[in-house]
Amino acid sequence: MTTPLLLILVAAVAFLATHVVYEWLAKRLLIVSGAEYLVLGVLLGPQVTGLFTPAAIEAFQPIIILGIGWMGVAVAMPLRLQRLVRIPAVPYRTALVESLLTFGVVTAGATSAIAYAYQVPWREVLAAGGILGAIAVASTPAGLDVAFGERGKDAARRAPVLLQIEVANHLNAVVSVVVFGIILAVMHDTVPLMVRALTTTEWVVVTLGIGVVGGTVFHLFLGGEQSADRLVISLGGAIILASGAAAYLELSPTLALFAMGVVLVNSMRNPGAVQDVLRAGERPLYYALLLLAGASWRPDSNIGWWLVIMHYVVLRTLTKLWGTGIVTWVNGAQQSVGLDWGRALIGQGRLTIALAFDYSRRGLPYGDVIFTCAAVSVLFTEFFAARFVRAAAAPLIAPLESISATTGAVLDTVTETVTHALPSFLQPSEDGSADRPADVSEPKPAPPGDR
Amino acid sequence: MRRLVILLILFAVMRGVFVLGGPTSGIPTLMLFGFLILAAYSVGELVKPFGIPKIVGYLIAGILFGPPGLAYVSKPALTELTPVSNLAIALIAFLAGAELQLSEIRERGAAILKMVSSELVLTFAAIAGTMVLLRSQLPILANAPAAEVVAFSLLFASVAVVHSPAVTMALLTETRANGPVARYTLGVVLVMDVAVVLLFSLVLAVARSLAPPAGGAEGVQAGAVLWEIGGSVLVGAVLGACIALYLRFISRELFIFGLLMALLGSEVARILHVETLLTLLVAGFVAENAGGGRGEDLRHAMERAAAPVFVVFFALAGAKIDPRAVLPLLPIVIPVVLVRMAGIYSGMRLGGKWAGLPTQVTGNAWLGLVSQAGVAIGLATVVADVYPSRGAPLRALLMATIAINETIGPIMFRLGLKRAGELTPSEANAGQSVGSPPTAGAH
């Protein structure tokens, strides 16, 4: 099979998966679909059927880089300052400490595990451990979306636990992307370019600079004309340029595009149109990324390899579960969000795969084991992410819903009483304008049961 | 001013990235793709106020940033970006097919066939005759036997008569013109595309018998030509039917779906050795007319998806133009270009009269037929492949002719549409805004 045809088939599978399987599974079975494409990729790859040759995977590099960058800009999209400032400080504090705790614990654990498994000094594997730590922080927001959907967005405003989960998802992603980008800058080659080699700080600035320039070019390009065609050209051009530039310089496309996303979402009067375009491409690109990531997976027979993977999955899960509990207790927020909302953060998804794949495709040390850790974690957790969220949030939401129902009933009764007791008070004024709710004097439609 | 700032920023970014990347880095294909989208589009907008179509701006951007200019897009990068050009051709063909309504074919089909036949005969004969007359100017033909002169002249003419569906579609999309001149021009370009495939195959067979290629390459087999045409219709119809079914029963995410179908059609055509343009043209036509009224939605979605791809396609076409190679050939190229224009003009007037069309239509529609692009370049490459030593100078001559037609063609087409009154007022006034005093209240 030719490489382009393969690419088209990958895209077609991703496309159909997005719009047929994903929605059906999500609605009917409360399952977050996606991880199975990783398995499909493994089956199509050189390890099993060989349909995807290594050369074909190499030819897909631009798509892979674009997909990785796209995840970065998607992470930034909810970070509109105007909206963020309305959220109280406690959820941020809790989520940030939880993120840093997870990063610290998993980095330490993974560094020890890799050093032990490969019999190397821990200093040599600190960067790889840090990468695993950064990846471990990420948690998928798909669980919340599937479990509560649009209702979740409304409910998040009144249910503290959903708000906490939402904030934690976003902050986990931010910490994960930023730390990952910084570690890549640390690991960057120190070859002198002109006079001297750039420092880590300078590489980080370059990464962020690419994103900021991308965002600026987008705005200049779009100008005052907000037509859909122009939006697609300017957004597509800016994303492709920034992803390509970051990848060319061996920096993190996710961090560069994250910076660009932050610029976009906070500088546009109405970022809804940009978000729509991004959303349309996000899931198909994620599925394509999963398939290609699966196809490029390379196992190792070393027993220590599996030790690192098991260690990562267990340590991450425990940190997310207990870490959130401890942090919540320290912040005194257990009354509103409970102590085990960390269950909602166990699921890992698109960002995890994007970061791990970005690391492994560069041929950096321990890339295969790091990617396998991420892949195993996504395989075991993303599928049930919605159920994890539901399990964590449902006990705290149920009382709220009953309170809401009671409040509604009380309000209905009061309104009815007022309507009957004070009819003249609610009469329309002489000029015809009504200073009362429009439906009060109109006959109410019969409830469905009475028809 | 804003566009200049964008270009300056992009220029600085590219310089900076290339310096930071160091000399050992590979080809930044993805970055170049994004750069070309933004830079070429900006150049297109920069030239628009001068009354020049945007696609000429994209071509200029290609020349500016390509190997002959600043060389941001190197020759290996051009090869890496070839799939973008293939996708653009597929999208162009699909959109062109989707533009054709069955009722329109019934209404205009006979007139288009008459114009195509007269234009093809006149232009082909005029160019072939010019080549015979100018043979002393060409080193490969100066001392060649008569049979060889005839063979190469016919081959040259069969490529030189080709029009550009890409330029026609891109300009119609850009200007949103939809009057009789626009419709007849599109019809002639599309039918001519099919006719040229047949003509070129026939001429190549004749040329091979008159001037056998070195190594005695095989002749053109009638079966292969038949399959190329018939197979294209068949494959295109099947693809179009599948798309129509999707439109009728699912009809969602047409933006991505359209891109996928264009890619699929182009790749299947390549694997089955059928004509890509014709395959996608038929697919677009079937999808539009059998899609249960949803073809228009798909067309609009594909136009949106095609916009950045078209920009890069024309920029890449511009990057392949080497002005230094064109200049020495101008003494031969200019007469050929002028004779070609005269042939197109006479053919269209004659065909239009035969079909009973008003002179307002034919007098302007011929201006839309000057452009040449992808198909002509492809055929020129085939000539060079069949005749490796003698075909190379012929290819260079063809490329120089195409380069000039590619540059002036869109300007002439826009002029034709403007003269026919088929441009929107804002489009028609684009060239008048430069240098005019600002209107009251405009700051």
Side-chain angles (χ1 to χ4, degrees), chain A residues 56-422:
Chain A
I57 297 165
E58 187 57 36
F60 292 140
Q61 281 299 322
I63 303 283
I64 292 169
I65 294 164
L66 184 62
I68 290 168
W70 203 281
M71 298 308 152
V73 80
V75 163
M77 276 301 113
L79 306 181
R80 190 162 163 84
L81 211 58
Q82 219 175 324
R83 183 174 165 268
L84 298 181
V85 292
R86 291 185 197 145
I87 299 171
V90 175
Y92 288 122
R93 198 166 59 224
T94 310
L96 183 65
V97 177
E98 180 276 316
S99 298
L100 296 176
L101 186 72
T102 306
F103 171 67
V105 171
V106 176
T107 299
T111 304
S112 318
I114 297 172
Y116 175 75
Y118 289 87
Q119 296 296 306
V120 284
W122 67 271
R123 282 175 202 279
E124 283 182 23
V125 296
L126 186 59
I131 289 285
L132 263 180
I135 291 170
V137 174
S139 55
T140 179
L144 187 63
D145 291 346
V146 171
F148 292 97
E150 284 303 309
R151 189 178 139 239
K153 285 175 188 159
D154 295 333
R157 293 191 194 110
R158 62 166 198 269
V161 66
L162 290 183
L163 180 68
Q164 181 62 68
I165 294 168
E166 198 185 14
V167 169
N169 281 152
H170 296 330
L171 218 59
N172 281 345
V174 173
V175 170
S176 191
V177 168
V178 172
V179 172
F180 183 86
I182 291 171
I183 296 175
L184 276 190
V186 171
M187 297 175 84
H188 202 283
D189 279 345
T190 51
V191 180
L193 289 167
M194 292 177 80
V195 182
R196 62 173 175 82
L198 294 192
T199 62
T200 298
T201 312
E202 285 166 338
W203 280 123
V204 173
V205 171
V206 170
T207 314
L208 297 173
I210 289 169
V212 173
V213 169
T216 311
V217 168
F218 167 84
H219 274 291
L220 278 171
F221 198 89
L222 194 63
E225 201 184 318
Q226 303 279 327
S227 71
D229 288 356
R230 211 179 165 80
L231 184 75
V232 169
I233 288 183
S234 45
L235 188 61
I239 289 180
I240 294 169
L241 178 72
S243 305
Y248 179 67
L249 296 177
E250 295 176 11
L251 298 168
S252 165
T254 327
L255 180 57
L257 269 289
F258 169 74
M260 184 178 143
V262 171
V263 172
L264 290 189
V265 78
N266 287 296
S267 55
M268 291 192 79
R269 199 170 295 164
N270 177 20
V274 170
Q275 283 168 333
D276 288 345
V277 174
L278 286 171
R279 210 170 290 133
E282 190 181 348
R283 199 148 271 278
L285 269 174
Y286 173 44
Y287 286 167
L289 208 60
L290 280 170
L291 276 169
L292 293 166
S296 62
W297 178 66
R298 286 184 298 266
D300 195 320
S301 55
N302 183 356
I303 187 76
W305 213 63
W306 295 103
L307 172 78
V308 176
I309 294 160
M310 293 306 295
H311 183 267
Y312 167 81
V313 174
V314 172
L315 190 61
R316 180 186 176 273
T317 308
L318 292 178
T319 314
K320 285 284 178 194
L321 284 174
W322 294 341
T324 47
I326 295 165
V327 172
T328 310
W329 178 71
V330 170
N331 277 293
Q334 66 268 36
Q335 287 293 330
S336 51
V337 299
L339 285 174
D340 57 354
W341 62 274
R343 274 190 282 178
L345 306 182
I346 291 174
Q348 289 209 284
R350 56 201 169 200
L351 185 61
T352 308
I353 286 295
L355 296 179
F357 195 22
D358 190 19
Y359 184 82
S360 71
R361 75 178 182 85
R362 295 163 190 263
L364 290 168
Y366 312 103
D368 290 337
V369 71
I370 287 174
F371 175 71
T372 310
C373 285
V376 169
S377 180
V378 170
L379 270 176
F380 281 98
T381 62
E382 193 188 28
F383 217 57
F384 306 106
R387 292 183 182 274
F388 288 144
V389 173
R390 185 103 352 144
L396 291 151
I397 288 178
L400 278 175
E401 281 182 342
S402 65
I403 288 169
S404 177
T406 314
T407 313
V410 169
L411 277 172
D412 282 349
T413 314
V414 170
T415 310
E416 205 172 332
T417 311
V418 170
T419 310
H420 283 101
L422 301 165

Side-chain angles (χ1 to χ4, degrees), chain A residues 2 4-5 8 11-12 15 19 23 62 65-66 193-194 198 203 206 213 216-217 220-224 228-230 232-234 236-238 240-241 243-245 248-249 280-281 284, chain B residues 2 5-6 9-10 13-14 17-22 25-26 28 30-31 33-35 37-38 41-42 45 176 246 252-253 255-257 260 263-264 267-268 270-271 304 307-308 311:
Chain A
T2 64
L5 192 60
I8 297 159
F15 175 76
H19 296 291
E23 285 175 12
I65 294 164
L66 184 62
L193 289 167
M194 292 177 80
L198 294 192
W203 280 123
V206 170
V213 169
T216 311
V217 168
L220 278 171
F221 198 89
L222 194 63
D229 288 356
R230 211 179 165 80
V232 169
I233 288 183
S234 45
I240 294 169
L241 178 72
S243 305
Y248 179 67
L249 296 177
Chain B
R2 200 181 75 229
V5 173
I6 296 170
I9 291 176
L10 289 172
V13 168
M14 293 300 281
V17 169
F18 279 126
V19 168
L20 289 173
S25 302
L30 193 65
M31 181 176 73
F33 184 47
F35 169 74
I37 292 175
L38 298 172
Y41 200 88
S42 301
E45 292 204 319
R176 302 191 191 281
Y246 181 87
R252 292 178 63 187
E253 295 295 337
F255 181 91
I256 295 169
F257 177 76
L260 276 177
L263 275 169
L264 183 68
E267 191 54 20
V268 169
R270 199 180 65 80
I271 291 169
R304 190 175 299 169
V311 175

Side-chain angles (χ1 to χ4, degrees), chain B residues 94-110 112 169 178 183-184 186-187 190-191 247 281-300 303:
Chain B
F94 189 93
L95 284 170
E99 284 281 338
L100 297 176
Q101 302 283 339
L102 211 54
S103 55
E104 192 179 354
I105 290 179
R106 283 196 207 105
E107 189 189 331
R108 296 196 169 121
I112 288 170
M169 272 311 296
N178 200 27
R183 305 308 298 175
Y184 276 112
L186 181 64
L190 296 181
V191 175
L247 288 175
L281 192 82
V282 174
F285 175 73
V286 173
E288 167 72 25
N289 290 284
R294 296 209 169 104
E296 201 181 337
D297 297 339
L298 178 65
R299 206 170 66 231
H300 289 317
E303 276 171 0

Side-chain angles (χ1 to χ4, degrees), chain B residues 157-425:
Chain B
S158 69
V159 179
V161 292
V162 178
H163 303 314
S164 172
V167 172
T168 311
M169 272 311 296
L171 209 75
L172 292 181
T173 309
E174 180 188 325
T175 59
R176 302 191 191 281
N178 200 27
V181 169
R183 305 308 298 175
Y184 276 112
T185 308
L186 181 64
V188 170
V189 168
L190 296 181
V191 175
M192 184 67 109
D193 194 54
V194 182
V196 158
V197 175
L198 289 168
L199 178 76
F200 181 76
S201 307
L202 187 74
V203 169
L204 196 59
V206 171
R208 275 173 164 155
S209 63
L210 289 173
E218 334 172 332
V220 177
Q221 292 177 345
V225 177
L226 269 179
W227 168 244
E228 199 168 337
I229 304 291
S232 304
V233 175
L234 188 72
V235 174
V238 171
L239 184 65
C242 294
I243 296 171
L245 284 174
Y246 181 87
L247 288 175
R248 279 173 180 267
F249 296 109
I250 303 175
S251 198
R252 292 178 63 187
E253 295 295 337
L254 296 177
F255 181 91
I256 295 169
F257 177 76
L259 267 178
L260 276 177
M261 288 304 105
L263 275 169
L264 183 68
S266 138
E267 191 54 20
V268 169
R270 199 180 65 80
I271 291 169
L272 296 177
H273 302 291
V274 293
E275 242 282 304
T276 308
L277 269 172
L278 190 56
T279 306
L280 270 297
L281 192 82
V282 174
F285 175 73
V286 173
E288 167 72 25
N289 290 284
R294 296 209 169 104
E296 201 181 337
D297 297 339
L298 178 65
R299 206 170 66 231
H300 289 317
M302 283 182 86
E303 276 171 0
R304 190 175 299 169
V309 181
F310 282 179
V311 175
V312 176
F313 171 70
F314 286 108
L316 291 177
K320 286 173 188 161
I321 296 174
D322 188 354
R324 284 165 299 191
V326 174
L327 287 174
L329 294 169
L330 281 182
I332 311 166
V333 171
I334 288 176
V336 170
V337 169
L338 292 175
V339 166
R340 181 174 176 271
M341 277 188 206
I344 293 170
Y345 174 77
S346 317
M348 286 295 283
R349 291 302 287 256
L350 194 71
K353 206 169 179 182
W354 182 16
L357 290 177
T359 49
Q360 166 77 0
V361 173
T362 49
N364 291 315
W366 78 273
L367 290 163
L369 304 176
V370 175
S371 305
Q372 289 195 292
V375 181
I377 294 170
L379 294 181
T381 310
V382 173
V383 174
D385 287 347
V386 175
Y387 294 97
S389 57
R390 288 168 293 174
L394 208 63
R395 181 177 178 273
L397 188 63
L398 278 167
M399 293 301 282
T401 313
I402 293 164
I404 290 180
N405 289 329
E406 194 175 19
T407 314
I408 61 169
I411 300 172
M412 295 185 74
F413 188 21
R414 192 177 181 283
L415 180 71
L417 292 171
K418 191 179 176 183
R419 277 182 14 179
E422 293 183 15
L423 294 181
T424 57

